[in-house]
Amino acid sequence: MTDASTLPGRPRGGVLSGPATARAVNVLAPNPSAMTLDGTNTWILSEPDSDLAVVVDPGPLDDGHLRHVIGTAEQAGKRIALTLLTHGHPDHAEGAARFAELTGTKVRALDPALRLGDEGLAAGNVIRVGGLELRVVPTPGHTADSLCFHLPADRAVLTGDTILGRGTTVVAHPDGRLGDYLDTLRRLRSLTVDDGVHTVLPGHGPVLEDAQGAVEYYLAHRAHRLAQVETAVEDGYRTPSQVVAHVYADVDRSLWPAAELSVRAQLEYLQEHGII
């Protein structure tokens, strides 16, 4: 058995659903898969002494899950006052409109197509609800509209799909771009160094106790994969599918379609920088 303390980011063991920090509670959506891991993490955020809560990523359009999120908040004596989205992929955002209907909340997101209400989200925004403070961090790369939410009081960051609790994420080309993603990882590293963030509350998988270690692992992983793709091209593997079959030979074939998106992003990056 592998000791979790030796894994990248030090993933927390135990049940995923439930309290994660003083201000964050996870309600795990029932949508496990190779891409979503155990399912989507729907986060309920609130100051301990407040009766107002914020929900990040209601998840898929599953009425049972959405009502479970509401019930979890109500059992803690809290009313959901706002819904936020880290990005627009269906496993995070498909249920947002129905959730807004059930809770009477606005939905704030970077992408105007996902918003319900006048206000969107942008770099530098500070969201305050019932004493809770969240800072919006633009983190494009996985998708163009990806955001993270910095929770200073818990020295935590909610990362959506930008950093996962287990494994690594996909640069979802063409919407996602590798150059943007590398910049995002460096931005998150600065949060760990300059702002004292030590906990990652991911969109999938367990909580990570070592945010800086997770970011450093992701940066090293991306550099390694990029070098592998460059070498594969030099060795005559030209198409994205050929590169995937060569570089990702040790990865479950069911994940190859997602890997091909990242390879396309890597090839584009290498071309833009005149490397291939």
Side-chain angles (χ1 to χ4, degrees), residues 46-54 73-74 76-81 129-131:
S46 180
E47 283 296 311
D49 59 354
S50 173
D51 63 354
L52 298 179
V54 174
E74 289 177 344
K78 300 179 186 295
R79 176 177 65 83
I80 297 166
V129 174

Side-chain angles (χ1 to χ4, degrees), residues 85-86 108-115 120-123 138-140 144-147:
L85 297 176
T86 60
R108 296 182 65 182
L110 179 61
D111 185 349
L114 299 171
R115 300 173 191 166
L121 293 171
T139 51
D145 70 329
S146 287
L147 297 170

Side-chain angles (χ1 to χ4, degrees), residues 8-10 24 29 31 46 63 99-100 124 127 134 144 174 184 199 207 219 229 233 246 259 265 274:
R10 296 210 328 264
N31 62 333
S46 180
D63 226 53
F99 190 71
I127 299 163
L134 285 173
T184 279
T199 302
V207 171
L219 282 165
V229 170
V233 172
H246 179 67

Side-chain angles (χ1 to χ4, degrees), residues 182 185-186 189 214-224:
L182 294 175
L185 291 176
R186 297 181 190 108
R189 180 169 58 188
V215 174
E216 296 291 0
Y217 172 76
Y218 267 59
L219 282 165
H221 172 78
R222 282 296 161 204
H224 178 63

Side-chain angles (χ1 to χ4, degrees), residues 70-83:
I70 296 168
T72 300
E74 289 177 344
Q75 287 175 6
K78 300 179 186 295
R79 176 177 65 83
I80 297 166
L82 180 64
T83 302

Side-chain angles (χ1 to χ4, degrees), residues 11-12 20 38 49-50 54 56 60 64 68 81 106 117 120 129-130 133 153 207 227:
R12 184 182 297 174
D38 309 274
D49 59 354
S50 173
V54 174
V56 177
H68 185 202
K106 295 180 179 180
V129 174
E133 180 182 298
V207 171

